[in-house]
Amino acid sequence: MNGKVYLVGAGPGRRDLLTLRARELIDSAEVILYDQLAGEILTTLPPTAELIDCGKFGRRHTLEQEEIEALMVARAKEGKKVVRLKGGDPFLFGRGGEELETLLLNGIEVEIVPGITSAIAVPGCIGIPVTHRACASQVTIVTGHEDPTKGRIGVRWDLLARFEGTIIILMGIKNLPAICDALITHGKAPGTPVAIIERGLQDDQRVTVSTLSEIPVVAKRNHVEPPAVIVVGDVVGYYRGINLCHST
Ligand code: SAH
C-alpha cells in the first residue's frame, strides 16, 4: 500500500508559529524532506524519522529538484508517511506547485498544510501592515531572484513601477540594485520608502529602512544578507522601530 505525502508549510521559522496540523504531522512522520528552513524549526524534527536535507542539494537546479521529487515518490511507494517541509507557505515560491504535480501524476495521495508566509508575517511583526486603508489597497508578492537586466520575461518591473500598492520582494537581496534601478527607470518615485527585514522573527533579526534610490548603497554598507523580505511602499512609514512579535 502506498504511503502519503504531506506538503507542509513550516511558517517563518519559529516553533510556536507552526500550525497545530504541521506539528502533529512532523511529530509522527517517518520521513521528513526539509528545505533550508529559518530558525529553530530544524531543531524540533524528531530524530526517529529519516531526515533528508534538501537544502544541501545546492542551488536547486532542475536535476536536483527532480531528485527531491523522485525521493518523495519512492518513499511514499514504500508505504511511508512522508512530510515535505517547506519554509513559510508551501505554495509561495519554493516550487511546491511542481512537487504537487509530480506527486499526483505518480498517483500518490497528498495532503496540503498551509503555513504562515514570511511575505506577510515578517513585515507584520515589526508593525508594517502590507495593506492599509490609508495608503495601500493592494499588495503584490514577487521574486527578486531573476536579474531584471537579463531580459527574461518574469517579473514585469515596468508595470510594477506603476503599481499603486505594496510590493513585497522575496529572494531579492542579490539583485537589489538592479531591481531598484528598474523600478525608478520605469517611473517609480525615487523617494518611495523601502524596508528590508533580514532573518525575520529570529533573535538576530535586523531592519533597514531607506528609500528606493538610497537603499542599494545603505544595504551594501550594512552588509545586508539573505534571507530577507523587502517591502516597497508607503506602508513602510508605519514602522516605529519596535518589534511586535512575542519573544521566545
Ligand atoms: N514559501 C516561503 C518563501 C520561499 S522563498 C514563504 O512563504 O515564506 C525564500 C525567501 O523567503 C527568502 O529568500 C526570503 O526572501 C524569504 N524568507 C523566508 N523566511 C524568512 C525570514 N524568516 N526572514 C526573512 N525572509 C524570509
Side-chain angles (χ1 to χ4, degrees):
M1 244 215 13
N2 275 354
K4 185 165 172 177
V5 176
Y6 300 82
L7 282 180
V8 178
R14 291 171 68 145
R15 62 196 303 161
D16 51 4
L17 292 177
L18 274 174
T19 62
L20 296 174
R21 183 68 178 147
R23 182 77 267 162
E24 190 180 17
L25 289 169
I26 290 168
D27 290 343
S28 59
E30 291 172 279
V31 182
I32 304 178
L33 296 104
Y34 60 92
D35 282 342
Q36 274 162 346
L37 299 169
E40 58 186 355
I41 302 294
L42 286 184
T43 64
T44 74
L45 305 184
T48 45
E50 180 190 3
L51 301 178
I52 303 173
D53 180 356
C54 299
K56 81 174 169 215
F57 287 136
R59 305 262 170 283
R60 312 289 304 276
H61 294 309
T62 316
L63 195 72
E64 288 138 3
Q65 178 66 23
E66 280 168 8
E67 207 173 345
I68 292 164
E69 290 173 14
L71 258 170
M72 276 194 286
V73 170
R75 292 297 186 272
K77 287 195 168 162
E78 288 165 17
K80 299 271 172 57
K81 179 172 185 180
V82 180
V83 164
R84 173 72 175 110
L85 193 59
K86 307 178 79 71
D89 184 272
F91 288 156
L92 185 68
F93 305 127
R95 309 183 72 163
E98 290 163 53
E99 293 177 8
L100 173 63
E101 214 180 338
T102 302
L103 292 165
L104 295 178
L105 274 173
N106 281 276
I108 307 291
E109 204 187 333
V110 180
E111 179 183 314
I112 306 299
V113 183
I116 297 177
T117 179
S118 64
I120 296 175
V122 166
C125 284
I126 59 163
I128 299 180
V130 297
T131 67
H132 192 296
R133 265 164 53 97
C135 64
S137 301
Q138 44 190 344
V139 57
T140 186
I141 304 171
V142 300
T143 170
H145 192 62
E146 299 158 12
D147 185 343
T149 59
K150 293 268 166 70
R152 280 190 47 214
I153 312 164
V155 178
R156 290 290 304 268
W157 299 103
D158 53 334
L159 299 180
L160 278 179
R162 288 186 280 143
F163 178 71
E164 291 181 358
T166 307
I167 305 172
I168 306 281
I169 306 162
L170 301 186
M171 301 176 280
I173 297 305
K174 191 169 141 260
N175 289 325
L176 183 68
I179 288 168
C180 294
D181 194 49
L183 286 173
I184 292 170
T185 304
H186 289 105
K188 195 141 198 84
T192 307
V194 179
I196 301 181
I197 309 113
E198 297 166 81
R199 299 174 296 278
L201 298 166
Q202 310 303 307
D203 294 339
D204 55 351
Q205 166 178 291
R206 180 168 67 158
V207 183
T208 305
V209 175
S210 184
T211 61
L212 201 54
S213 58
E214 305 276 320
I215 194 84
V217 173
V218 176
K220 189 167 182 217
R221 191 170 62 221
N222 292 354
H223 306 288
V224 166
E225 284 177 359
V229 174
I230 304 168
V231 186
V232 180
D234 291 336
V235 290
V236 171
Y238 291 97
Y239 178 57
R240 296 284 174 269
I242 43 174
N243 196 0
L244 298 167
C245 196
H246 65 289
S247 49
T248 47

